[in-house]
Amino acid sequence: MNSPFGVSGGGNTLVGTVPVAAAGTFPTAPTVQFQSGTCANQSKVVSSIVVGSGGNLTSGTVTVPPTDVTRISGTKVAFKVPTKAYPELDADANPSQINTAGLVLDSGQSSAKWAVCLYDNDTASGTLLASTSYTLIQKPTITGVTPSASQASGGTPITVTGTGFMPFTTPNIPLTASIGGSPLTNIKVAANGASFTALTGSRGPGSGLYLTVYAPGGKVVSSDPDNNPATFESPFLFEYSNGITVTPNLASAGSATTLDITGGGFSDLTFDSNGSPTSANAHVFLVRGTYTPAGNRGMAECTNVVVVADTELICNLDLSAGSLNPVTGAATPNVPVPDGAYTVTVVANGATTAGPDAEPTIVSSGSTFTVGPY
């Protein structure tokens, strides 16, 4: 069979092969059933899916509607996994109440193994021509994402809750996930398949991002967390902040040091190479408090910026070269950078009129920097 598993609710098409020895009796209109346990020698009467303790099937027979069965060749057949009851009417010509949703998992089941049985007809004298196993898997859903933000450099531990996260081992189908296109790493799924932990990957800053999870039972996106387009559920949104981390985070007054800065989205920035603190290019400033383009600018600029990767840059902070006017950005060669606490800030646009286009990195514990008598 082309796939040994599929999602609860059916609707997917399977293709199977009849052994050559049985090909001589392979009719143009074979009967296909999903049965609990092993295939009977003859087709069974349709019966309700019943689940006992531990989530194991105890009984159930679901017939594929004949209109959904197609013999492709003398040894090959295609059929659709049932999505509704068959027959659709009971003996009193009323809508059947047996397996009305087709082949589905019952409450409490995350997976269930069925026998797929191919017969030459649907009578008591029918002959079993071929059989195989098929595992029904829970469709994944998302019920929570905590926390809902990460620094652009990634590495933030997150926990995702939901259903249907258990990976398969035979065949090997691992769980994978991403946020805003950035893959999660170090994914660890809980034993009950109802949650997993992971680390965020690096990504440029952004908000309103969706989490996408690929599980054995299919894909789920946090824009439709219950995995049902027919219903509305509030989406789970994620944000990547433009926070940075600076190493080292202290220097003595009048010294020069190289800063190693990690964050995200650095490859998209064009850093000024002419030593013009008010140019519309990107800059790295040493700021008292929160950077504002027209009023609270840098006291010093970290120059000769080299972008090592999208998530890392290095620059030279020379505290012996005087300072900058924090209001205008003008150089003040004879005024040293005073001792105190600062914030290293990367800005996308250093012009005094940049406004929101400056996009300064946020003030965080990782971006603090101290100048003192060390």
Side-chain angles (χ1 to χ4, degrees), residues 150-155 182 201-206 240-245 261-269 271 282 307 309-313 346-348 359-362:
S150 168
Q151 287 195 168
S153 56
S182 176
S202 60
R203 187 193 186 282
Y240 270 90
S241 73
N242 63 349
I244 59 174
T245 300
I261 300 174
T262 57
F266 296 150
S267 296
D268 296 329
L269 303 178
F271 288 90
V307 176
D310 190 63
T311 57
E312 182 181 14
L313 64 81
V346 178
V347 300
E359 299 179 2
T361 52
I362 64 172

Side-chain angles (χ1 to χ4, degrees), residues 8-366:
S8 177
N12 54 309
T13 298
L14 300 177
V15 178
T17 302
V18 176
V20 174
T25 58
F26 187 24
T28 57
T31 297
V32 180
Q33 288 189 330
F34 290 84
Q35 298 178 6
S36 58
T38 57
C39 291
N41 290 330
Q42 288 84 35
S43 61
K44 292 183 176 181
V45 175
V46 171
S47 61
S48 296
I49 300 170
V50 178
V51 176
S53 61
N56 296 316
L57 286 172
T58 58
S59 64
T61 298
V62 183
T63 295
V64 179
T67 54
D68 291 335
V69 180
T70 303
R71 194 181 81 157
I72 300 173
S73 69
T75 58
K76 187 176 291 186
V77 61
F79 55 93
K80 184 179 292 184
V81 180
T83 59
K84 59 184 179 181
Y86 180 81
E88 294 187 62
L89 301 179
D90 62 19
D92 298 320
N94 295 316
S96 173
Q97 299 301 308
I98 300 176
N99 306 329
T100 56
L103 193 68
V104 295
L105 293 169
D106 203 351
S107 176
Q109 287 185 305
S110 60
S111 66
K113 183 168 286 189
W114 288 81
V116 185
C117 316
L118 177 70
Y119 299 95
D120 59 3
N121 64 65
D122 62 356
T123 67
S125 62
T127 301
L128 179 67
L129 301 180
S131 66
T132 188
S133 64
Y134 181 77
T135 300
L136 207 58
I137 306 172
Q138 188 175 30
K139 183 187 295 185
T141 66
I142 298 171
T143 58
V145 183
T146 307
S148 58
S150 168
Q151 287 195 168
S153 56
T156 298
I158 68 168
T159 299
V160 179
T161 56
T163 60
F165 295 150
M166 182 59 68
F168 256 40
T169 55
T170 307
N172 183 32
I173 306 175
L175 181 88
T176 61
S178 62
I179 295 176
S182 176
L184 301 183
T185 62
N186 199 33
I187 295 176
K188 296 180 180 178
V189 182
N192 61 2
S195 67
F196 68 86
T197 59
L199 298 177
T200 58
S202 60
R203 187 193 186 282
S207 59
L209 303 174
Y210 294 135
L211 164 70
T212 301
V213 179
Y214 290 91
K219 179 179 78 170
V220 60
V221 183
S222 64
S223 57
D224 180 24
D226 69 343
N227 217 347
N228 184 359
T231 62
F232 173 78
E233 299 287 335
S234 296
F236 292 100
L237 304 178
F238 201 86
E239 178 181 4
Y240 270 90
S241 73
N242 63 349
I244 59 174
T245 300
V246 181
T247 305
N249 61 0
L250 54 85
S252 58
S255 67
T257 186
T258 298
L259 301 187
D260 189 340
I261 300 174
T262 57
F266 296 150
S267 296
D268 296 329
L269 303 178
T270 301
F271 288 90
D272 188 271
S273 59
N274 299 315
S276 304
T278 57
S279 75
N281 290 326
H283 300 264
V284 181
F285 290 125
L286 196 64
V287 185
R288 279 196 183 276
T290 302
Y291 179 89
T292 55
N296 188 44
R297 301 178 55 81
M299 291 286 292
E301 181 170 7
C302 197
T303 59
N304 301 320
V305 177
V306 175
V307 176
V308 179
D310 190 63
T311 57
E312 182 181 14
L313 64 81
I314 56 176
C315 60
N316 297 324
L317 180 63
D318 188 354
L319 299 177
S320 67
S323 62
L324 301 175
N325 184 306
V327 177
T328 67
T332 53
N334 298 320
V335 179
V337 176
D339 292 353
Y342 295 86
T343 301
V344 175
T345 305
V346 178
V347 300
N349 184 332
T352 57
T353 57
D357 291 338
E359 299 179 2
T361 52
I362 64 172
V363 177
S364 67
S365 58

